[in-house]
Amino acid sequence: MPILLDTTKAPVLQRLLDETDTSGLTWTIEPGGAQALPSAEVVVAGIANLEHAGPQELSFVANPRYQSQLIDARAAVVLVTAEVAQAYRESLSQAGRAEQALPLVVCNSPYLLFARIGQWFDRQLHPQPAGSIHPSAVVAPDASVDPSAHVGPLAVIEAGAQIGPRARIGAGCVVGEGCRVGADTVLHPRVTLYRGVSMGARCVVLSGAVIGDDGFGFAPDPSRAKGAWTKIPQFGGVRIGDDVEIGANTTIDRGALDDTVIGNGVKIDNQIMIGHNCRIGDHTAMAACVGIAGSTTIGQRCSIGGAAMIGGHLKIGDDVFISAATPVHSNIDKPGQYTGFFPMTEHAQWERNAVAVRHLATMAKRIKALEKK
């Protein structure tokens, strides 16, 4: 739970909301009951979940299922929908406790507002470091590092690389030859960008991610030996848009000839594999351990559940939701949710089910034959 270290600098609620990005949101402050502080005097020194929020902390209720917890909450203020606010007031009134009502911020999307307020606290707790290059960093003479950017210890910035305004390059990062890192982009420690990677503005890359490594490209070469392979050089790059987040230990391969492309606003979780020449559309999100084989195109606003496996050279349209652990072997043209996994069961039952699945094709033929009769 983030708490401002110096509570004397904690903002009152109105100031906090004024300094928070509330674009696209509608909100109003509803004062508390007679025993609550006036809204203008409510100090917010931290944020927390509803169960643990104390009298100087802000919390939220986004799901009506949890509104019952609100009646005994001790938070300084709670973000709620209009429906939850009404139910809360009615519950307190029925219990004869109307004077104990907490101040509320009634918002059309409490969870989003909570996220934006969380960003405000993050900026206070982790302010942007001043532009500097650590003495142990290695920066090529022809690399360009904006004066407002920060380059951490033992980082390497290779020839021709460009580091944009206010970018942060963490300790031990490698930014390869000819790479471009956009404004306000953050590379956490030990991120590796191979040559020719282009990243937009406001991206976040977590530790251990590798972007622009060689794709898995090999040609059969029986001239060397039976079953032998010859490597296909990977000449393409990786182009990443604005506002992209890439999780820890994720790998994104460079293209063989054309670039691998990651659109604006894409969110990629930890330990994900994206093969060469893939194209990921704007605002698509994928959970941990997804694997996407080479030359597959995924549309905009898709959601891909954890450990889903997507084959190569496929096309997946916009607004597709692929459930966790689903294998995808063919194109998906229509929006909607797609699921293709066997639910867990006891092993003996699973074996019986597996036997039945093996005979489905034969059973289908027999049914068709019976239908003809």
Side-chain angles (χ1 to χ4, degrees):
M1 177 178 60
I3 300 293
L4 289 178
L5 299 178
D6 184 354
T7 56
T8 62
K9 296 181 180 179
V12 296
L13 177 59
Q14 185 65 55
R15 179 191 146 205
L16 174 63
L17 291 168
D18 289 343
E19 295 181 3
T20 295
D21 174 14
T22 59
S23 57
L25 295 168
T26 58
W27 57 270
T28 57
I29 298 175
E30 287 193 2
Q35 295 182 10
L37 286 172
S39 300
E41 298 178 18
V42 173
V43 172
V44 181
I47 57 176
N49 61 40
L50 192 60
E51 182 182 2
H52 297 111
Q56 284 194 312
E57 291 144 15
L58 174 146
S59 191
F60 72 102
V61 177
N63 191 324
R65 288 185 299 176
Y66 300 110
Q67 69 182 35
S68 61
Q69 298 178 11
L70 186 54
I71 195 167
D72 294 318
R74 300 182 303 110
V77 60
V78 184
L79 315 179
V80 296
T81 62
E83 293 76 15
V84 170
Q86 181 177 350
Y88 172 60
R89 303 292 189 199
E90 290 174 355
S91 297
L92 283 178
S93 180
Q94 292 170 3
R97 296 169 51 193
E99 73 283 354
Q100 299 175 13
L102 298 173
L104 303 175
V105 176
V106 180
C107 178
N108 60 326
S109 181
Y111 193 43
L112 178 56
L113 180 56
F114 184 78
R116 299 267 184 86
I117 290 172
Q119 292 173 358
W120 185 93
F121 275 94
D122 188 58
R123 289 193 296 271
Q124 313 312 308
L125 293 168
H126 307 103
Q128 173 73 29
S132 63
I133 298 175
H134 193 273
S136 66
V138 178
V139 180
D142 62 345
S144 172
V145 179
D146 189 276
S148 63
H150 174 78
V151 180
L154 303 175
V156 175
I157 313 296
E158 294 186 352
Q162 301 176 43
I163 310 299
R166 300 171 304 282
R168 286 185 280 164
I169 311 301
C173 288
V174 176
V175 179
E177 179 183 353
C179 287
R180 185 181 72 84
V181 177
D184 300 296
T185 285
V186 178
L187 307 186
H188 285 273
R190 297 183 297 100
V191 167
T192 299
L193 307 185
Y194 282 61
R195 58 179 172 79
V197 171
S198 173
M199 301 196 68
R202 300 174 302 280
C203 296
V204 177
V205 186
L206 303 186
S207 294
V210 176
I211 302 173
D213 54 304
D214 277 0
F216 192 67
F218 299 89
D221 189 356
S223 67
R224 296 175 58 194
K226 184 177 180 179
W229 302 88
T230 288
K231 183 176 178 63
I232 301 171
Q234 307 289 288
F235 294 106
V238 178
R239 285 188 284 125
I240 297 172
D242 297 335
D243 302 300
V244 172
E245 180 148 345
I246 298 169
N249 296 324
T250 281
T251 56
I252 303 176
D253 291 350
R254 69 190 315 104
L257 295 173
D258 298 326
D259 292 341
T260 299
V261 179
I262 310 296
N264 295 323
V266 171
K267 308 304 180 189
I268 300 171
D269 199 0
N270 302 332
Q271 296 179 325
I272 284 174
M273 167 66 203
I274 298 177
H276 59 185
N277 295 105
C278 285
R279 302 180 73 89
I280 311 297
D282 293 354
H283 307 297
T284 283
M286 55 191 77
C289 299
V290 165
I292 305 174
S295 300
T296 283
T297 296
I298 296 176
Q300 300 182 59
R301 301 175 301 278
C302 293
S303 296
I304 304 175
M309 292 288 112
I310 301 175
H313 300 271
L314 300 181
K315 290 187 177 180
I316 295 172
D318 297 341
D319 302 299
V320 168
F321 177 18
I322 298 172
S323 299
T326 294
V328 179
H329 300 296
S330 58
N331 296 338
I332 301 176
D333 301 321
K334 295 193 305 182
Q337 182 170 1
Y338 294 81
T339 303
F341 58 88
F342 232 96
M344 182 191 72
T345 186
E346 292 182 356
H347 184 71
Q349 181 65 47
W350 182 90
E351 287 182 321
R352 290 192 290 271
N353 292 340
V355 170
V357 168
R358 276 210 312 265
H359 292 92
L360 282 179
T362 301
M363 292 168 62
K365 288 181 181 178
R366 293 175 64 185
I367 291 170
K368 286 181 180 179
L370 289 170
E371 286 174 342
K372 287 180 180 178
K373 292 181 179 181

